[in-house]
Amino acid sequence: MNVSDHLIERLSAWGVHRIFGYPGDGINGVMGALGRKDHGIAFVQARHEELAAFMACAHAKFTGEPGVCLATSGPGAIHLLNGLYDARMDHQPVVAIVGQQARSALGGEYQQEVDLANLFKDVASEFVQTVSVPAQLRHVVDRALRIAIERRTVTCIILPNDVQELDAVATPPREHGSVRSGIGTTARAMVPSDAALDGAAEILNRGQRVAMLVGAGALHATDEVMAVADRLGAGVAKALLGKAVVPDSLPYVTGSIGLLGTAPSSELMNGCDTLLMVGSNFPYAEYLPEEGKARGVQIDTDAARLGLRYPMELNLVGDSRATLAALLPRLHQKTDLAWREDIEAKVARWWRVLEERAMQKAEPINPQRVFWELSPRLPDACILTCDSGTAATWYARDLRFRRGMMGSLSGGLATMGPALPYALAAKHAYPDRPVVALLGDGAMQMLGINALITIAASWKRWTDPRLVIMVLNNGDLNMVTWEQRATAGDPKFEPSQDLPPFAYAEFARQLGLGGLRVDDPEHVGAAWEQAFAAKKPVLLEMVTDPNVPPVPPHVTGQQMRAYAAALLKGDPDARKLILASAREWWAGVTAGLKGRHS
């Protein structure tokens, strides 16, 4: 057994079942070990190392297991970085294994020689280590996995290509200077002390208008979140990575929060006198209560992230599910439900506003309608992935998640490109579940077209072949265009924002996948139904209007002035923008009128 064999054996002993990567001569030894013996680890070849790192991140998000990605030295290792930063910023356990030139060549300006320890020192700041001798491998693998899992972060193993071929030292010698590590499980305290729980309950019981904000750290605590919300008469807002924590059918769930969020979530935060934040690192303080207006309690497994976004009165270090369960018996049942009833009325009205907006005229299709028509057609237990951009706005607002669904996107990094690699990782982990990937044409041209090749090569092995890829084809890098208008006050700069035309559905058909191009709003619902009924993956190319504004939950005076300045400076779509904005405003008015008459 050589070092590469030992590496694969040790990864298998840790429970790793899948490695995402791309081959290269810097990792030939590892590839040989993967091919020599079946250790129960599947190698998933991506079209690009960035896709492999995204897939490893998504594997961690959807399974709770550490994701592992593999790349060659130099250029291959460099390509991993964006996906690894996605994992780091969303606190996902991912181990990157990268090759390196032979030890004798290091320092000699050898081909593809890159200082990988320094390159990865930021993204894998908790642990990055080069294996220099065979006896070192065991504890390096053990520490890389344990630290990634326990600290929910990225770690990196650098493996020179000559070391990969040396004889393994499976059991390091019992002598001075030797490290002999183990795989043993880790037990940790999951619940804060009784005194801390009593203090939190005292704060929450005194609150008359309680708001909850839940994030990805509460995805496994659905029942507990609902029980605490009912006990406190609270409204529940969701950070984007926590969209699946509680179903949107609950009348007190206000939906997403922030720039991409809902008006009821904004009103919930502005009107509350007490905030309970659970498993969330939501970064935008302007969407949380004004400092001093609300008492606060926060629950998180990581003490370093407590009290970071709002000056909480009491911070609880613990697992969200176990901590909420321990807190529940200490909470008093709210009998005055005026606050809850007000929240529910605002939520009901908001859903009417969204429907009115989705059905407004556009040229040719309103992108909101694409998501609104999808929502009731989502299969049970489906997994949704979304890219950054305006697609994320409509994902956040218009889709009603039901219990049993999963969904994710790039939260902290908000990078372009992860929707399709996320979807591929989901299908590899759950081949029996339907998956929906939602992205814009910018992300599709950046990485998605290449990912389609992998989908075409993989889908026949899936138990349920349904993977629906929806592309918003508007010929525009739309989110940045709107940011230029509403933030910088600049008109659309066409050389930077316009995208070259591409026949997405036709390309999918050339690969042997399904492909539908839709440019009539009346055909949107039927297209979704056709895609979900297909016996193979389908790409839906929705030709949508780039001038439908992703209106924030509350438009500030500064945003209005910037938008007006962009129009006055000669935005090429000024007339269309004015009409589209007027329709959005009118949809809000008519939805309110309907609510009063119903």
Side-chain angles (χ1 to χ4, degrees):
M1 183 171 70
N2 66 21
V3 168
S4 296
D5 296 314
H6 188 201
L7 169 70
I8 302 304
E9 182 182 84
R10 199 66 177 175
L11 292 171
S12 178
W14 270 95
V16 173
H17 301 297
R18 198 166 288 114
I19 295 174
F20 305 95
Y22 198 82
D25 60 1
I27 49 172
N28 276 347
V30 180
M31 289 299 174
L34 282 166
R36 266 194 296 275
K37 184 178 177 182
D38 182 7
H39 289 282
I41 297 179
F43 177 74
V44 180
Q45 186 199 84
R47 303 274 61 75
H48 188 285
E49 291 90 351
E50 183 177 358
L51 291 166
F54 278 135
M55 292 163 80
C57 174
H59 179 86
K61 286 185 173 185
F62 292 134
T63 68
E65 303 169 353
V68 179
C69 55
L70 176 65
T72 189
S73 57
I78 293 167
H79 283 159
L80 290 175
L81 287 175
N82 194 42
L84 293 179
Y85 271 104
D86 183 41
R88 179 178 184 266
M89 295 185 71
D90 281 353
H91 311 291
Q92 297 303 315
V94 169
V95 178
I97 302 170
V98 295
Q100 178 58 292
Q101 295 306 314
R103 292 167 296 172
S104 60
L106 296 180
E109 295 188 7
Y110 202 74
Q111 185 187 35
Q112 295 190 341
E113 180 190 349
V114 172
D115 187 347
L116 295 178
N118 273 331
L119 179 72
F120 285 94
K121 194 55 185 174
D122 182 49
V123 72
S125 58
E126 296 285 353
F127 186 80
V128 53
Q129 190 59 246
T130 300
V131 178
S132 300
V133 295
Q136 188 185 0
L137 180 86
R138 191 172 94 176
H139 76 257
V140 168
V141 172
D142 291 350
R143 293 208 73 214
L145 277 155
R146 190 181 303 281
I147 290 170
I149 293 167
E150 296 303 317
R151 299 182 185 172
R152 301 193 62 80
T153 192
V154 174
T155 58
C156 178
I157 300 170
I158 302 168
L159 200 57
N161 58 30
D162 60 326
V163 175
Q164 295 170 34
E165 303 288 356
L166 297 176
D167 289 342
V169 179
T171 303
R174 185 172 177 258
E175 62 185 31
H176 187 71
S178 178
V179 176
R180 302 168 74 204
S181 60
I183 292 175
T185 57
T186 301
R188 67 167 73 195
M190 304 294 283
V191 182
S193 67
D194 286 340
L197 291 168
D198 289 341
E202 187 275 334
I203 294 169
L204 296 169
N205 285 329
R206 287 181 177 273
Q208 298 302 307
R209 302 183 306 280
V210 181
M212 294 179 68
L213 172 57
V214 297
L219 284 169
H220 65 305
T222 298
D223 288 330
E224 290 73 18
V225 168
M226 291 164 55
V228 168
D230 283 335
R231 187 70 56 88
L232 295 173
V236 180
K238 300 187 283 188
L240 203 49
L241 291 175
K243 187 169 173 63
V245 172
V246 285
D248 290 298
S249 57
L250 296 173
Y252 57 82
V253 172
T254 61
S256 298
I257 187 174
L259 184 67
L260 312 186
T262 72
S265 289
S266 180
E267 292 160 359
L268 177 74
M269 292 295 147
N270 288 329
C272 72
D273 63 11
T274 308
L275 172 63
L276 173 58
M277 194 166 169
V278 185
S280 176
N281 196 35
F282 176 75
Y284 301 116
E286 67 269 29
Y287 291 98
L288 297 176
E290 185 178 340
E291 188 169 339
K293 294 292 182 68
R295 304 178 76 183
V297 174
Q298 186 175 357
I299 301 169
D300 204 291
T301 56
D302 186 351
R305 295 202 291 270
L306 290 166
L308 178 62
R309 306 307 185 192
Y310 188 80
M312 299 293 178
E313 189 170 337
L314 183 58
N315 294 295
L316 301 176
V317 180
D319 171 77
S320 59
R321 183 178 184 180
T323 302
L324 290 174
L327 189 59
L328 186 63
R330 296 169 162 86
L331 300 178
H332 302 158
Q333 180 65 54
K334 286 285 189 294
T335 55
D336 182 355
L337 298 179
W339 168 246
R340 168 67 77 85
E341 290 167 356
D342 181 58
I343 293 166
E344 293 181 353
K346 289 174 178 175
V347 170
R349 181 187 182 279
W350 177 250
W351 285 117
R352 293 194 298 270
V353 169
L354 289 179
E355 183 175 17
E356 288 288 329
R357 287 180 175 177
M359 296 305 167
Q360 292 299 308
K361 180 182 176 182
E363 299 178 12
I365 296 175
N366 188 326
Q368 296 167 102
R369 181 165 183 171
V370 173
F371 287 75
W372 185 263
E373 297 273 15
L374 166 63
S375 196
R377 295 175 170 88
L378 286 170
D380 290 337
C382 68
I383 302 173
L384 294 104
T385 68
C386 186
D387 225 289
S388 300
T390 50
T393 302
W394 318 129
Y395 166 89
R397 294 179 187 170
D398 289 274
L399 295 184
R400 298 197 199 207
F401 269 38
R402 303 192 301 275
R403 187 156 191 175
M405 294 179 179
M406 291 195 288
S408 196
L409 38 58
S410 177
L413 189 60
T415 183
M416 287 175 67
L420 279 184
Y422 272 30
L424 269 164
K427 289 300 291 189
H428 279 288
Y430 304 100
D432 57 339
R433 296 178 67 166
V435 174
V436 183
L438 307 164
L439 65 162
D441 45 5
M444 192 66 194
Q445 291 189 15
M446 182 179 283
L447 282 177
I449 291 170
N450 291 334
L452 282 181
I453 299 171
T454 306
I455 292 169
S458 306
W459 71 267
K460 292 180 182 178
R461 296 192 292 270
W462 301 336
T463 310
D464 184 335
R466 286 180 295 174
L467 168 55
V468 181
I469 304 118
M470 190 285 298
V471 181
L472 295 174
N473 182 1
N474 56 28
D476 181 45
L477 293 171
N478 204 226
M479 178 61 85
V480 175
T481 297
W482 282 105
E483 288 170 342
Q484 288 174 347
R485 290 165 176 154
T487 304
D490 291 324
K492 176 181 175 179
F493 180 47
E494 292 174 291
S496 94
Q497 297 308 109
D498 285 349
L499 289 166
F502 188 87
Y504 304 100
E506 182 180 339
F507 180 67
R509 291 193 296 270
Q510 289 175 355
L511 292 173
L513 306 174
L516 298 172
R517 187 177 189 273
V518 183
D519 56 10
D520 185 335
E522 297 304 318
H523 296 164
V524 170
W528 280 117
E529 292 170 4
Q530 185 176 344
F532 284 123
K535 303 300 183 183
K536 59 183 175 181
V538 175
L539 185 144
L540 289 182
E541 180 184 345
M542 297 287 186
V543 184
T544 54
D545 190 341
N547 296 310
V548 174
V551 181
H554 291 290
V555 180
T556 67
Q558 182 179 352
Q559 289 168 332
M560 285 296 295
R561 289 189 293 273
Y563 186 35
L567 298 180
L568 291 172
K569 291 175 184 176
D571 193 285
D573 297 318
R575 178 181 171 276
K576 295 177 180 178
L577 293 173
I578 293 169
L579 288 174
S581 300
R583 293 188 188 110
E584 291 289 295
W585 170 80
W586 183 245
V589 172
T590 56
L593 293 173
K594 288 182 180 180
R596 286 198 294 271
H597 295 155
S598 59

